[in-house]
Amino acid sequence: RTALASAAKDHKRVILVFGANWCYDCHVLDATFRSKAFVPVVNASYHVVHINVGDEGDKNLDLAEKYGVPLKKAVRIPSLAVLDPDGKVVYSQKNGEFDDSARIGPADVAAFLKKWAPAS
């Protein structure tokens, strides 16, 4: 709710990142978001909220389902959902698109952020 309220005030979107502390790919994505090259892009358009799916991938599944991220059958994290400030889902990952940091690089993250940024 806090992120949505902030997004409404500053005309940004919210990225929900479903992940876990044990997930290497989650750490890689987080490091990318926090890197010198990406901080300006992320901060200009988004509020990022990390949602823990737990050690067994069984926590916060209700939120994942609410935002269209299918984690019940197979935990493929990190998985992201992008929301408008009103909480409407703009995009949700259905196939664990960011769950392999060896396959997904900075250019893919940059394209994702650009594609789902709010209209200027």
Side-chain angles (χ1 to χ4, degrees):
R1 285 188 263 251
T2 303
L4 291 172
S6 295
K9 286 181 188 171
D10 53 21
H11 309 288
K12 295 181 182 181
R13 287 190 166 156
V14 174
I15 297 178
L16 303 179
V17 181
F18 292 88
N21 287 335
W22 53 263
C23 169
Y24 174 78
D25 296 311
C26 298
H27 287 284
V28 171
L29 181 62
D30 185 58
T32 301
F33 279 179
R34 295 174 188 268
S35 70
K36 188 186 284 188
F38 281 87
V39 164
V41 176
V42 173
N43 288 345
S45 298
Y46 300 100
H47 292 277
V48 178
V49 177
H50 295 274
I51 300 173
N52 182 17
V53 300
D55 291 340
E56 304 296 324
D58 59 355
K59 293 189 177 11
N60 294 310
L61 296 181
D62 56 333
L63 286 175
E65 186 173 325
K66 177 179 179 177
Y67 295 112
V69 177
L71 295 180
K72 281 190 177 177
K73 293 184 180 174
V75 179
R76 297 185 70 183
I77 55 175
S79 283
L80 285 64
V82 179
L83 312 177
D84 269 342
D86 62 3
K88 178 181 172 237
V89 177
V90 176
Y91 173 78
S92 63
Q93 292 183 330
K94 304 291 187 206
N95 299 305
E97 287 87 339
F98 283 165
D99 73 347
D100 185 353
S101 59
R103 182 176 43 88
I104 300 296
D108 300 301
V109 176
F112 176 89
L113 294 171
K114 181 179 179 184
K115 181 173 184 175
W116 299 111
S120 300

